[in-house]
């Protein structure tokens, strides 16, 4: 269950990143709510996961999901660069997260 909670925490981190982007573009109450709820739920799920998982592993995977997910959302929905090198780097982040899960 801790791994599921950690994955959900990473997804909420992506929601928070989307909220940050909406604050930059729209600067309205809905954008701030999206950001606040995303980050709050992310930390809540992360703290639940860290009850059973090591802190270093949890933090690395949480930030990896948030980083890779934020970059993918930027490429898919906000017309950010889709350069092959950028995609390769995202793949390395995801590969490292999977590796940490396999050895934990």
């Amino acid at each position: 269950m801790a791994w599921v909670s950690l994955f959900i925490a990473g997804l909420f981190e992506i929601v928070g990143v989307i909220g940050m982007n909406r604050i930059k573009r729209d600067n309205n109450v809905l954008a701030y709510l999206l950001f606040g709820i995303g980050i709050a739920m992310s930390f809540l799920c992360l703290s639940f996961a860290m009850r059973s998982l090591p802190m270093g592993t949890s933090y690395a995977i949480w930030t990896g999901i948030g980083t890779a997910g934020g970059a993918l959302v930027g490429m898919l929905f906000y017309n950010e660069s889709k350069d092959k090198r950028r995609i390769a780097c995202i793949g390395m982040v995801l590969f490292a997260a999977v590796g940490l899960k396999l050895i934990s």
Side-chain angles (χ1 to χ4, degrees):
M1 192 65 184
W3 285 104
V4 172
S5 179
L6 186 58
F7 180 73
I8 293 170
L11 294 179
F12 274 117
E13 183 75 6
I14 296 167
V15 170
V17 168
I18 293 169
M20 276 191 274
N21 191 28
R22 299 233 2 215
I23 289 170
K24 184 181 106 179
R25 290 183 318 130
D26 303 333
N27 199 20
N28 60 26
V29 174
L30 182 60
Y32 282 97
L33 279 173
L34 186 65
F35 171 71
I37 290 170
I39 296 301
M41 291 301 297
S42 180
F43 276 109
L44 181 69
C45 293
L46 176 63
S47 67
F48 179 76
M50 287 175 60
R51 291 180 186 168
S52 340
L53 298 173
M55 184 267 309
T57 301
S58 298
Y59 183 73
I61 290 176
W62 174 68
T63 57
I65 293 170
T67 301
L72 289 172
V73 165
M75 287 190 287
L76 294 173
F77 299 108
Y78 299 109
N79 202 29
E80 293 182 3
S81 169
K82 295 174 182 75
D83 185 271
K84 292 178 196 175
R85 294 171 293 184
R86 188 169 190 216
I87 294 170
C89 289
I90 293 168
M92 287 188 287
V93 169
L94 294 175
F95 180 76
V98 170
L100 282 172
K101 197 248 185 259
L102 292 175
I103 62 173
S104 294

